Amino acid sequence: MTATDQLTPSSPATMADPLGDVFHLLRLTGTFYCAPELREPWGIDVPDLAERMVLVAVTEGACVLFLEDETEIELRPGQLILLPHGRPVKLKSSRDVTATPLFDIPAKRHSPNYETMIFGGSGRLTRMICGVLRVDHAVAKRLIDLLPSKIFLDTFDQGASTWLHSTLRYLAEEAGDPRPGGEVVLTRLADILVVQAIRSWLEKSDGHEAGWIGALRHPKLGRALQAFHREPHITWTVARLARCAGMSRSAFSARFKEMTGEGVMQYVTRWRMQLAWTEFQDGEMSLSQVAAQLGYDSEAAFSRAFKRVTGHTPGSVRRVSR
């Protein structure tokens, strides 16, 4: 992978949907997958997993999920919940059961990121698939930040029934009868469920006419945002982005700020620094390479912009990450 590949999207040139571009960049990194086999009574206390998404899909039996705001949700086969912001949650066979901290429960590790677990008493059996996932790309992270605290889906929801039922049924078959390659199948299906859950929420939710999602969906602003997200290293100006949108410079600037809450070039600079932050955390590019790939002629100019926007120096971010 080249330096350019790391910092710019590789979306097909024919893709015309800016929000679709965001999903193209929704590259999930599974940090932890677990297929628990639980018998009543049982309870699991999942800690706060900052900057991670938590997926719980029940394939057999039932469980009661307790969120930190005291919301109580019962999950049965064919239902799943996605917690986009990784907040603490308790999973129990019933309300009065004491929950054991997740990492205190013995589990069988099959790979660095996948394990199975047998836990509880001798009562009714519950099977589920749990995933803890991270989003790496700055574009996709912006979308995740706008999601609600929970997304709940079940096979009886109109529009979700066919794909959700089929995916969860396949998931249940793989979890109940492990076969060669089963780990790969389970983890990939979990990734699909996360993407489908987000898509379903976007399709059903109102209130996206304004804000960043609204700007992506706007027939003109969306074109400009898509062009910039694909090639952030180009020397972008308000006039150049306005031409992409097919609007006058003044009309584009006013509409952009009205919808996103920030000026055009403020957005451009902040977005570039988000990309740089991700690269400093996870990549091996030098400071000069990152600066060049984001359109800066000098390391000094880039470093000043990075410090102004993030409050940190590039070197401090890289040191902490390492």
Side-chain angles (χ1 to χ4, degrees), residues 81-270:
I81 189 165
L82 175 67
L83 307 176
H85 312 299
R87 305 305 298 164
V89 62
K90 291 182 173 63
L91 307 173
K92 301 183 181 183
S93 56
S94 62
R95 177 190 292 271
D96 57 349
V97 175
T98 299
T100 301
L102 172 64
F103 298 116
D104 290 347
I105 300 174
K108 182 178 180 180
R109 181 66 59 88
H110 299 275
S111 75
N113 298 324
Y114 177 72
E115 63 185 34
T116 54
M117 175 193 299
I118 298 176
F119 181 63
S122 57
R124 183 177 61 164
L125 173 67
T126 292
R127 286 192 176 99
M128 62 179 69
I129 298 297
C130 303
V132 178
L133 305 100
R134 183 182 71 190
V135 174
D136 291 323
H137 200 284
V139 180
K141 284 181 179 178
R142 178 69 179 268
L143 173 62
I144 300 303
D145 288 342
L146 298 175
L147 295 179
S149 60
K150 60 183 179 297
I151 299 175
F152 174 76
L153 292 177
D154 71 51
T155 56
F156 299 103
D157 285 346
Q158 184 177 5
S161 58
T162 302
W163 70 260
L164 185 56
H165 178 75
S166 300
T167 306
L168 288 177
R169 184 177 61 186
Y170 191 21
L171 201 65
E173 291 174 358
E174 287 292 333
D177 182 22
R179 290 171 285 176
E183 174 193 341
V184 176
V185 173
L186 288 174
T187 55
R188 294 298 182 271
L189 287 175
D191 292 354
I192 290 171
L193 287 173
V194 170
V195 175
Q196 290 283 38
I198 296 172
R199 289 175 62 186
S200 178
W201 178 79
L202 285 169
E203 289 167 1
K204 293 188 297 183
S205 298
D206 298 323
H208 293 320
E209 296 306 314
W212 183 68
I213 294 177
L216 284 171
R217 286 176 162 172
H218 190 278
K220 294 185 176 181
L221 296 186
R223 289 201 302 267
L225 284 169
Q226 185 179 43
F228 168 63
H229 291 160
R230 286 181 173 180
E231 299 182 292
H233 60 286
I234 288 178
T235 305
W236 291 105
T237 62
V238 176
R240 188 170 190 169
L241 286 166
R243 286 196 298 272
C244 290
M247 301 172 68
S248 70
R249 186 181 184 278
S250 58
F252 175 73
S253 296
R255 187 63 172 145
F256 188 94
K257 187 163 188 177
E258 177 187 353
M259 296 196 73
T260 67
E262 61 185 326
V264 176
M265 297 314 296
Q266 180 184 2
Y267 179 91
V268 167
T269 301
R270 182 177 56 78

